[in-house]
């Protein structure tokens, strides 16, 4: 039996999780995520524990357990003027930070400096902090998918899923786009998302991002699909955070919010016979 059948659906069902990354990043991100969950088609989100607005979103997660809530394991910080670092004291995980004590800006610097033992220590601390706040996580995923840069780090990610009995988001094609190692990855005995749906900068540049989302829903395949988006409002806060970073920037995030709370999105899901599912449902049949 495949995943659809285990969940009680026909074999060729198009399963979809519509997932919002980066909750906790900012107040704008939090409020857009909450509204998208309550009034849109988004049915999953994950929280960045090290970020300044974690507390606001953690409170929401604790009080609204009906929504899928993952831990967005965070090891990098891509923004120019907005920085954050580990939840542990820098002295305990010094290989994870730059000279100013913040996470590295890109995956390459992270990969070249981070010690596996300190990666595991920090990611464990992020999960434990979420648990201490009363969050009941439904899964694990990763900011910028930094956990996928090498097989060794990827194994830490998978191991944490087993330790906490949580499914982890894994898509082979996504790893191929960000991997920084020629070594072989082990995908045996792991739940794999058959297809990752995500926006692309070329479509954003042409002003066709919303149209590309409609096309993505039209081309959803049988099996487990995961749509990654980053809802936020195009306001002063997000404009400041994403300055000089149009890729997944403030304007892009507003489009994400607008589309996934629209009637058009809802209609596309029905038109394509797409079945929304949750990480909770997946956990129940593992």
């Amino acid at each position: 039996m495949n995943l659809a059948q285990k969940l009680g659906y026909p074999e060729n069902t198009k399963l979809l999780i519509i997932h919002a990354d980066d909750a906790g990043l900012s107040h704008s991100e939090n409020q857009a995520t909450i509204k998208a969950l309550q009034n849109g088609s988004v049915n999953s989100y994950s929280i960045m524990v090290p970020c300044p607005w974690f507390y606001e979103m953690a409170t929401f997660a604790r009080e609204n357990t009906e929504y899928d809530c993952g831990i967005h394991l965070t090891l990098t910080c891509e923004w120019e003027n907005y920085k954050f670092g580990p939840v542990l004291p820098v002295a305990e995980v010094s290989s994870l930070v730059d000279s100013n004590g913040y996470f590295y800006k890109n995956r390459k610097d992270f990969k070249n400096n981070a010690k596996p033992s300190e990666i595991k220590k920090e990611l464990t601390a992020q999960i434990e902090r979420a648990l201490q706040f009363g969050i009941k996580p439904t899964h694990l995923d990763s900011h910028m998918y930094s956990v996928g840069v090498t097989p060794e780090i990827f194994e830490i990610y998978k191991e944490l899923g087993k330790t906490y009995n949580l499914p982890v988001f894994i898509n082979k094609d996504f790893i191929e786009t960000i991997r920084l190692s020629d070594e072989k990855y082990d995908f045996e005995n792991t739940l794999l998302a058959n297809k990752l749906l995500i926006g692309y900068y070329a479509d954003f540049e042409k002003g066709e991002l919303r149209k590309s989302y409609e096309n993505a829903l039209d081309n959803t395949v049988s099996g487990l699909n995961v749509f990654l988006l980053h809802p936020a409002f195009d306001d002063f806060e997000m404009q400041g955070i994403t300055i000089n970073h149009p890729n997944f920037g403030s304007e892009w995030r507003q489009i994400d919010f607008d589309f996934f709370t629209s009637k058009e999105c809802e209609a596309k899901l029905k038109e394509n016979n797409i079945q929304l599912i949750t990480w909770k449902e997946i956990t129940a049949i593992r």
Side-chain angles (χ1 to χ4, degrees):
M1 293 176 70
N2 65 13
L3 179 61
Q5 291 170 307
K6 289 178 182 178
L7 290 171
Y9 301 112
E11 181 180 0
N12 295 323
T13 302
K14 301 173 183 178
L15 307 173
L16 178 63
I17 296 172
I18 302 181
H19 175 81
D21 272 355
D22 290 3
L25 179 69
S26 68
H27 180 58
S28 176
E29 193 89 29
N30 288 350
Q31 292 304 305
T33 299
I34 291 168
K35 286 182 171 61
L37 289 163
Q38 294 175 334
N39 305 316
S41 299
V42 174
N43 67 342
S44 170
Y45 69 102
S46 55
I47 301 180
M48 301 175 76
V49 178
C51 289
W53 281 89
F54 164 72
Y55 187 89
E56 178 183 56
M57 203 67 200
T59 301
F60 173 83
R62 189 173 60 228
E63 296 174 356
N64 296 272
T65 56
E66 67 269 30
Y67 301 113
D68 267 17
C69 171
I71 307 301
H72 200 45
L73 299 173
T74 303
L75 294 163
T76 44
C77 176
E78 68 271 44
W79 310 115
E80 189 169 309
N81 294 330
Y82 179 75
K83 299 295 179 183
F84 43 82
V87 301
L88 289 174
V90 167
E92 293 187 27
V93 286
S94 58
S95 71
L96 305 186
V97 300
D98 61 20
S99 59
N100 292 313
Y102 299 117
F103 285 133
Y104 291 106
K105 193 173 182 179
N106 57 61
R107 299 184 196 93
K108 183 178 180 182
D109 288 341
F110 161 69
K111 181 251 183 184
N112 290 340
N113 290 280
K115 296 178 181 177
S117 61
E118 294 185 1
I119 292 171
K120 184 177 180 180
K121 191 175 181 181
E122 169 61 20
L123 294 184
T124 301
Q126 290 181 22
I127 297 169
E128 287 297 326
R129 175 166 288 188
L131 294 173
Q132 287 165 11
F133 268 80
I135 296 172
K136 294 180 169 58
T138 55
H139 67 283
L140 301 176
D141 52 45
S142 168
H143 184 56
M144 296 172 62
Y145 218 64
S146 299
V147 296
V149 294
T150 72
E152 184 177 16
I153 298 171
F154 184 62
E155 287 303 312
I156 294 171
Y157 177 52
K158 288 164 55 183
E159 183 184 336
L160 287 170
K162 291 177 183 175
T163 299
Y164 289 94
N165 194 29
L166 294 171
V168 296
F169 169 64
I170 299 173
N171 174 257
K172 286 184 180 180
D173 292 338
F174 199 17
I175 287 178
E176 284 301 317
T177 66
I178 59 89
R179 65 184 293 167
L180 297 173
S181 170
D182 293 327
E183 297 175 41
K184 185 180 179 181
Y185 287 71
D186 180 10
F187 296 107
E188 293 297 319
N189 302 313
T190 56
L191 172 70
L192 299 174
N194 300 93
K195 189 172 182 180
L196 169 69
L197 307 175
I198 195 168
Y200 295 98
Y201 188 60
D203 294 320
F204 173 73
E205 274 192 310
K206 292 184 291 186
E208 296 179 355
L209 191 58
R210 188 169 177 136
K211 183 179 178 182
S212 75
Y213 290 164
E214 293 180 3
N215 291 337
L217 292 178
D218 285 337
N219 290 288
T220 304
V221 300
S222 299
L224 177 58
N225 301 268
V226 177
F227 213 131
L228 289 187
L229 62 142
H230 304 80
F233 300 121
D234 187 14
D235 55 18
F236 284 144
E237 183 189 24
M238 286 308 300
Q239 289 165 12
I241 289 172
T242 64
I243 191 169
N244 297 330
H245 200 298
N247 195 21
F248 299 110
S250 182
E251 184 182 350
W252 184 314
R253 290 173 189 241
Q254 180 73 61
I255 295 169
D256 281 5
F257 174 80
D258 291 343
F259 178 73
F260 287 97
T261 56
S262 71
K263 294 296 183 184
E264 290 84 354
C265 176
E266 193 176 323
K268 279 289 179 186
L269 294 173
K270 291 179 180 177
E271 178 186 326
N272 289 288
N273 297 312
I274 294 170
Q275 176 64 49
L276 293 182
I277 64 163
T278 64
W279 289 107
K280 287 179 188 174
E281 291 174 85
I282 291 172
T283 300
I285 53 101
R286 285 169 72 221

